[in-house]
Amino acid sequence: MKNSFGSSLTVTLFGESHGPAVGVVLDGLCPGLPVSKERIDALLSRRRPSLATDTARVEPDNWQILSGVFEGRTTGTPLCIVIPNENVRSGDYDYGKARPSHADYAAFAKYHGYEDYRGGGHFSGRVTAALVAAGGVVIPALEAVGVNVGTHILQCGGVDDDPFSDAIEREIALLAERPMPVLNEAAARLMQEKIAAAKAEGDSLGGVTQTAVTGLPAGLGEPWFDSVEGALSRALFGVGGVKGVAFGVGFAGASLRGSEYNDPLRVEDGAVRSVTNRNGGVNGGITNGMPVVFRCAVKPTPSIARPQQTVDFVTHENAEITVGGRHDPAIIRRVCPVIDSVTALAVCDMLAGRYGTDCFLKGIGL
Amino acid sequence: MKNSFGSSLTVTLFGESHGPAVGVVLDGLCPGLPVSKERIDALLSRRRPSLATDTARVEPDNWQILSGVFEGRTTGTPLCIVIPNENVRSGDYDYGKARPSHADYAAFAKYHGYEDYRGGGHFSGRVTAALVAAGGVVIPALEAVGVNVGTHILQCGGVDDDPFSDAIEREIALLAERPMPVLNEAAARLMQEKIAAAKAEGDSLGGVTQTAVTGLPAGLGEPWFDSVEGALSRALFGVGGVKGVAFGVGFAGASLRGSEYNDPLRVEDGAVRSVTNRNGGVNGGITNGMPVVFRCAVKPTPSIARPQQTVDFVTHENAEITVGGRHDPAIIRRVCPVIDSVTALAVCDMLAGRYGTDCFLKGIGL
Amino acid sequence: MKNSFGSSLTVTLFGESHGPAVGVVLDGLCPGLPVSKERIDALLSRRRPSLATDTARVEPDNWQILSGVFEGRTTGTPLCIVIPNENVRSGDYDYGKARPSHADYAAFAKYHGYEDYRGGGHFSGRVTAALVAAGGVVIPALEAVGVNVGTHILQCGGVDDDPFSDAIEREIALLAERPMPVLNEAAARLMQEKIAAAKAEGDSLGGVTQTAVTGLPAGLGEPWFDSVEGALSRALFGVGGVKGVAFGVGFAGASLRGSEYNDPLRVEDGAVRSVTNRNGGVNGGITNGMPVVFRCAVKPTPSIARPQQTVDFVTHENAEITVGGRHDPAIIRRVCPVIDSVTALAVCDMLAGRYGTDCFLKGIGL
Amino acid sequence: MKNSFGSSLTVTLFGESHGPAVGVVLDGLCPGLPVSKERIDALLSRRRPSLATDTARVEPDNWQILSGVFEGRTTGTPLCIVIPNENVRSGDYDYGKARPSHADYAAFAKYHGYEDYRGGGHFSGRVTAALVAAGGVVIPALEAVGVNVGTHILQCGGVDDDPFSDAIEREIALLAERPMPVLNEAAARLMQEKIAAAKAEGDSLGGVTQTAVTGLPAGLGEPWFDSVEGALSRALFGVGGVKGVAFGVGFAGASLRGSEYNDPLRVEDGAVRSVTNRNGGVNGGITNGMPVVFRCAVKPTPSIARPQQTVDFVTHENAEITVGGRHDPAIIRRVCPVIDSVTALAVCDMLAGRYGTDCFLKGIGL
């Protein structure tokens, strides 16, 4: 299960940046789910470079479904999507000189020099296109049972967005329509300026995302090692650049006292709700009926247009490198639909585990 | 795999706070590993309440190995350790009133009222005693192949410890001997004062831990969904109270530019090393030969001696609760050996996956 | 997952023949299932030596549930049962001389001499007591949703029992009450004579069992590698001595023509049924609504009271061995409740995977 | 893990008979393995219809590797092979009337009518082309470490082949070159006559295969539920038509006495060997250093050119069906390379689990 996650719905990823294609197999999908070309395309377009500051490598993402869909609906058998790599320029890379903060040296140590190094190979962000296509299959199915997923840039280049408010569902709907997935439009403009400035200086930025999942029933997840936090984080850390995952108020909560942190509970319209949601919708690893909310720390894009100290791991000599290729000065915008997709896939797995493989046909309540 | 983690070495946890026993099964251990009563006891004693501010529930932890050990060494077959629950006072709990920030309501939603609610049942920190006993089995095996694991309290009650320096192995050795696992002894005293103050006010504290794993070869871990980060975080989020996991400089790294974040590489004594370790020893999900370093955010102990707003989930009415029972005002000290143990178990799984089940007999290099 | 099977309900086995205890952890049980001491005892008593021809090692099987049961019902958290080993005589074994047809040499090759060899250690049939105790937990839950499991000795010592007829459920009920689980009582008497004769000659017998599972809905199982046949056989081959598993008419079906083998379908009381059941209730790996029926080939007990040619794998010299210890001349009778238990556990896993973890509370139909 | 097997090397299958393509993902391959177009083509050609009695649907099998291979060698990252479906005639099938002994009704029950029914969809033997292509990747890697796999038709149409003798490796080499994988060439001719006769009568045949794996070290496999027998059978029952799996002398062994069945052990050239191999190379679920030998019972091809009683599961009425489409009167010949491939993949998984993911680079001995 190296490149897979999920036990009821298993997601298996394959592909290299400059190989024939990237792709994904989804095994365990509920049969009968409508598959919408428009939704998959829309989600992929949110991941595609489009702003002036984005990378110059733009792929058309002509995905094709090879299996598991019949007459426009999932069959319940494994669904394989492939996306050919078309806009490939392999001449830009030079084997042996490790690009700092990239996987080059770690991959060499793991694969003994047999790895496809071109464009980062299997470690390239290109592979996330397949994850997003998969997200485009399952996100509509979640919506149909009342579950919504949305991610915005909470912080980038020193600029803070507003965190999700109590009107999360409306905010999620807004995000899907914006070129920059940011709630506060002034913040969005400022972030873009910061990104442009970093680019102009041959530098890069990271950022923090915030994701919310609404509509999940209480009682989802497993204690200890398949906790909602554990299952989501295992999948989220698969996304290149994610170096931290924190639920609710996250690391800030570690500085609060119990009397400040604990979420008071109230009965509201017959349902148990918490007044605040500092726990991020999860207690003891199990959903409590509040929105599941978490943050991801995304490190700055490793590729920068400046000379860096490195080594040549073939000759074992010190070296200098100026990374070529086409890159984003900040991937934070494009990472949002990837996080949405990974989250949606992991949530489908949890639902299928608890309510059975047909739960999207039968409904997810008791 | 709800209460299990690991594929080559699988850890399965069982037990409730007020049931007969807690325990763990380790399946996939290398045969021939010496099992040391002293080491298991020593690790358990670091988890046991001992300071004035700790909970009054002190368990003797009379663990017993039921299987998988013969003539003082692991056999390679499943090793089951059980620890009887002895110091149990079940009268302190009142079913139906959810303790805020605890798993009570989530567990009710999941188990429909059949859960053993006494003392938090399966969600109790008591269950971590079994994890620590398991840690006591594998940590010496890691040491024997040159891998060391250590965790300190990086922050508690507004007091900061020094982060790990370049002398991590010496620091790890120091931590094992201190009642408070803190590198800076002045900080340790201050933290204890803060904890005592919180206790006096009927309140509680959280904190942040920092963990380092030294001696790991480069090339460990799997891309995408069994990344070092993903595998560790899945296990770490199983530890009660952990709400965030971040590698290297973690969330702070999201504010750096690429030129500030990237770790320059150098050849040192013939080996590839990075000058800094902001990536926390992992690139692309794979170890790069530097120490693996991460932080966990631990929320404040949910149980506080103050009245809190809550609901009775049986009657579906609003209620007030003042949590009884015996609790720690801060679990951060006792959580350190738990994190060490979980980390060690996850690392053993990675090593066994890459180098085979007998790697602790054969050595872990190529 | 070495000593485990099942993904929705995971069964993990531990223990050695002469260690402190054998045991099992069941993770993924539906909450709220009544746990009956009587049923567990009754199933264990069917596995216990009782006939004149059985082994002289009789264990009281004083099992204890350590976790996962509260007020007489499953909680939904991991249920651990342990059974102490009490009637142990370790002096009977002599390390190094491999007992032919036993796991001695294979275990040495695998565990490098660290294995607990006493009484066959982890490979001993003793460990199946834990499986049977686990069967005693889940079999009543299956019955409550209309699923029944039964196994009889189809062949032993050249004597054939009647195969299951169309009145399987009545036959299953009969089997539970008989000391020899055989449908035809004359055949039972003959089998016992054959076993007694083999014992008198210092020899042993094998046999073939036939198992039926009634009441399963159509649509259970997964295509390709989690087929009903694949999932059951993986679990069944775990039972010591099982060397073959065949569904429906099994190997005999390979000699039939399609026109003789194919099961004609008919509508009966509104349901799709087949007139015959040569496919054993499974098509394409998926249940078709007919009883699931299969056979297991059980090899003769390896331990015989005659001198045999062997090797000493420590000195690497040829040797002769006359196996001591206390053994059954035929385990076929005692293996039946083990097969029932393994089958029941695997079926629970399939049901939980398809209908969700709470399916025994909610019912297993759409 | 529905359509997957293997934990160190995971095989995931996808595709439908009349969809765009069938394919497979191999995750966990050792890096650096040469991938030979010739070997993959050769194995696929053994599966392809070629004899007069075979089906008229002949596919060119223009497979393409989408990922995981670079400069002719495996990279160690997931290898995806797809094989487009080209010779498709979908008009031959009529939804609702279940073809007896096929998966039609079971699939309907499972997928609620959303299944791609054309040509048997995901349940079609067509999907095994992807398994065979995968076999073509790993079989040369096994050969390079001295492990050989071969399967012959032991019985078909009442004609028996010779079982494997002591010269298994030579026999395996012979089989690869013969149009009918049968050791005794006279038997091969007779079998073909029987198949032709069945075809002429609009009927079909099944058969029994025998497979041997040579060169495996002792100590492979896991006790209880990842036994060699359990792991292989789980994978083998995935192959359409396999209804029984038996190791060594299999079901016949159940009629032997211990004194007749037990394999005497001898030291030969310094190695522990058994004089006979009735256990099929496995004791206690673990290899003992002898060839692993097993049989599969393959039921007769369900599709026959005669009218059969059935039901229409949409209208719930009795019906008659004469199965159209293009089919084999006996798939037993074409199933042999499928069994070889599945076996080779499962064996690679066992080796990688025991000796680590790089074991094909490092060698598989201690």
Side-chain angles (χ1 to χ4, degrees), chain A residues 81 180 365:
Chain A
I81 309 179
M180 281 288 279

Side-chain angles (χ1 to χ4, degrees), chain A residues 55-81:
Chain A
T55 176
R57 176 179 176 182
V58 183
E59 289 274 7
D61 294 335
N62 290 315
W63 54 272
Q64 188 191 4
I65 291 178
L66 296 186
S67 64
V69 173
F70 181 53
E71 298 182 343
R73 289 177 180 264
T74 56
T75 56
T77 57
L79 188 159
C80 178
I81 309 179

Side-chain angles (χ1 to χ4, degrees), chain C:
Chain C
M1 296 282 286
K2 295 157 171 64
N3 293 272
S4 300
F5 72 94
S7 51
S8 294
L9 172 65
T10 305
V11 180
T12 301
L13 205 57
F14 60 86
E16 277 81 35
S17 180
H18 290 198
V22 298
V24 67
V25 180
L26 305 184
D27 191 10
L29 285 170
C30 182
L33 305 177
V35 175
S36 154
K37 179 167 173 17
E38 289 67 33
R39 291 300 301 272
I40 296 173
D41 283 339
L43 204 62
L44 279 167
S45 80
R46 290 183 45 209
R47 184 195 157 279
R48 203 169 300 131
S50 61
L51 302 185
T53 46
D54 291 338
T55 175
R57 178 181 175 181
V58 184
E59 289 274 6
D61 294 334
N62 290 315
W63 54 271
Q64 187 190 6
I65 291 178
L66 295 187
S67 64
V69 174
F70 180 52
E71 298 181 344
R73 289 177 180 264
T74 57
T75 56
T77 56
L79 188 159
C80 179
I81 309 179
V82 293
I83 315 182
N85 291 320
E86 305 186 19
N87 185 352
V88 167
R89 288 199 339 229
S90 295
D92 292 332
Y93 299 88
D94 178 18
Y95 190 66
K97 280 196 196 171
R99 295 168 300 159
S101 221
H102 271 289
D104 299 352
Y105 171 64
F108 170 78
K110 181 169 180 63
Y111 299 117
H112 311 297
Y114 295 108
E115 68 277 8
D116 180 352
Y117 57 84
R118 301 167 303 163
H122 186 54
F123 295 88
S124 166
R126 171 64 187 152
V127 183
T128 61
L131 277 176
V132 171
V137 172
V138 298
I139 286 172
L142 286 173
E143 290 170 0
V145 295
V147 175
N148 287 280
V149 181
T151 299
H152 69 112
I153 308 172
L154 185 64
Q155 184 260 312
C156 178
V159 182
D160 290 329
D161 191 19
D162 305 328
F164 280 118
S165 72
D166 284 346
I168 298 184
E169 303 213 352
R170 192 174 49 75
E171 291 169 336
I172 289 175
L174 278 180
L175 290 171
E177 292 166 14
R178 294 189 173 167
M180 281 288 280
V182 175
L183 295 175
N184 179 323
E185 299 196 83
R189 280 188 300 274
L190 268 172
M191 286 181 196
Q192 284 193 264
E193 288 171 25
K194 297 286 185 182
I195 296 170
K199 184 178 187 176
E201 297 168 45
D203 215 333
S204 67
L205 296 179
V208 174
T209 60
Q210 188 188 35
T211 301
V213 188
T214 63
L216 291 177
L220 211 60
E222 299 291 338
W224 298 99
F225 305 115
D226 263 338
S227 68
V228 171
E229 293 115 326
L232 280 171
S233 66
R234 179 174 182 271
L236 290 163
F237 275 116
V239 179
V242 172
K243 296 298 280 187
V245 175
F247 287 77
V249 288
F251 276 76
S255 305
L256 300 179
R257 287 185 158 204
S259 59
E260 299 164 322
Y261 182 92
N262 290 354
D263 297 309
L265 296 166
R266 295 283 90 180
V267 176
E268 232 174 72
D269 302 330
V272 175
R273 311 286 293 168
S274 62
V275 178
T276 53
N277 190 16
R278 285 181 281 258
N279 279 282
V282 187
N283 290 123
I286 315 289
T287 55
N288 61 18
M290 297 297 292
V292 171
V293 180
F294 58 86
R295 295 163 191 213
C296 295
V298 180
K299 73 180 188 183
T301 312
S303 295
I304 56 175
R306 297 177 177 194
Q308 297 179 80
Q309 283 193 321
T310 189
V311 301
D312 186 312
F313 52 72
V314 174
T315 62
H316 261 229
E317 287 174 352
N318 288 327
E320 196 180 87
I321 191 169
T322 303
V323 178
R326 299 165 291 174
H327 301 286
D328 296 274
I331 60 162
I332 191 79
R333 183 185 74 83
R334 298 176 61 203
V335 94
C336 290
V338 181
I339 290 177
D340 281 348
S341 296
V342 163
T343 302
L345 291 161
V347 164
C348 283
D349 179 44
M350 290 175 205
L351 289 168
R354 178 151 176 80
Y355 298 110
T357 46
D358 293 350
C359 68
F360 292 96
L361 288 177
K362 301 192 317 189
I364 62 172
L366 249 182

Side-chain angles (χ1 to χ4, degrees), chain D:
Chain D
M1 296 281 285
K2 295 158 171 64
N3 292 272
S4 301
F5 71 94
S7 51
S8 294
L9 172 64
T10 306
V11 179
T12 301
L13 206 56
F14 60 86
E16 277 80 35
S17 180
H18 290 199
V22 298
V24 66
V25 180
L26 304 184
D27 192 10
L29 284 171
C30 182
L33 305 178
V35 175
S36 155
K37 178 166 173 21
E38 288 67 33
R39 291 302 300 273
I40 297 174
D41 282 339
L43 204 62
L44 279 168
S45 80
R46 289 181 49 206
R47 183 195 159 278
R48 203 167 301 130
S50 61
L51 302 184
T53 46
D54 291 338
T55 174
R57 176 180 176 182
V58 183
E59 289 274 5
D61 293 336
N62 290 315
W63 54 272
Q64 188 190 6
I65 292 178
L66 296 186
S67 64
V69 174
F70 180 53
E71 298 181 344
R73 288 177 180 265
T74 57
T75 56
T77 57
L79 188 160
C80 179
I81 308 179
V82 293
I83 314 182
N85 292 320
E86 305 185 19
N87 184 351
V88 166
R89 291 203 333 235
S90 293
D92 292 333
Y93 300 88
D94 178 19
Y95 191 65
K97 280 196 193 170
R99 294 168 300 159
S101 220
H102 270 289
D104 298 353
Y105 171 64
F108 170 78
K110 180 168 181 62
Y111 299 116
H112 310 296
Y114 294 108
E115 67 277 9
D116 180 352
Y117 57 85
R118 300 167 302 162
H122 186 55
F123 296 88
S124 167
R126 171 66 187 151
V127 184
T128 61
L131 277 176
V132 171
V137 172
V138 298
I139 286 173
L142 287 172
E143 290 170 359
V145 294
V147 175
N148 287 280
V149 182
T151 300
H152 68 112
I153 309 172
L154 185 64
Q155 185 261 312
C156 177
V159 183
D160 290 328
D161 191 17
D162 304 328
F164 280 118
S165 72
D166 284 347
I168 298 183
E169 302 213 353
R170 189 174 51 75
E171 290 169 338
I172 288 175
L174 278 180
L175 290 171
E177 292 167 13
R178 294 190 173 164
M180 281 288 280
V182 174
L183 295 176
N184 180 322
E185 298 195 83
R189 280 188 299 273
L190 269 172
M191 286 182 195
Q192 283 193 263
E193 288 171 24
K194 297 287 185 185
I195 295 170
K199 185 178 186 175
E201 296 169 46
D203 215 334
S204 67
L205 297 179
V208 175
T209 59
Q210 187 187 35
T211 301
V213 189
T214 63
L216 291 177
L220 211 61
E222 300 291 339
W224 299 99
F225 304 115
D226 263 337
S227 70
V228 171
E229 293 114 326
L232 279 172
S233 66
R234 177 175 183 271
L236 290 164
F237 276 116
V239 180
V242 172
K243 296 297 280 188
V245 175
F247 287 78
V249 289
F251 276 77
S255 304
L256 301 179
R257 287 185 157 203
S259 59
E260 299 164 321
Y261 182 92
N262 291 355
D263 296 309
L265 295 166
R266 293 284 89 179
V267 176
E268 232 173 73
D269 301 330
V272 175
R273 310 287 293 169
S274 62
V275 178
T276 52
N277 189 16
R278 285 181 281 258
N279 279 281
V282 188
N283 291 123
I286 315 291
T287 54
N288 61 17
M290 296 298 292
V292 170
V293 181
F294 58 86
R295 295 164 193 210
C296 295
V298 180
K299 73 179 188 183
T301 311
S303 294
I304 56 176
R306 296 179 177 193
Q308 297 180 80
Q309 283 193 322
T310 189
V311 301
D312 186 312
F313 51 72
V314 174
T315 62
H316 261 229
E317 286 174 354
N318 287 329
E320 196 180 83
I321 190 169
T322 303
V323 177
R326 299 163 291 171
H327 302 285
D328 296 275
I331 59 160
I332 191 80
R333 183 185 74 84
R334 298 176 61 203
V335 93
C336 290
V338 181
I339 290 177
D340 282 348
S341 297
V342 163
T343 302
L345 291 161
V347 164
C348 283
D349 180 43
M350 290 175 203
L351 289 168
R354 178 150 177 79
Y355 298 111
T357 46
D358 293 350
C359 68
F360 292 95
L361 289 177
K362 300 194 318 190
I364 61 173
L366 248 181

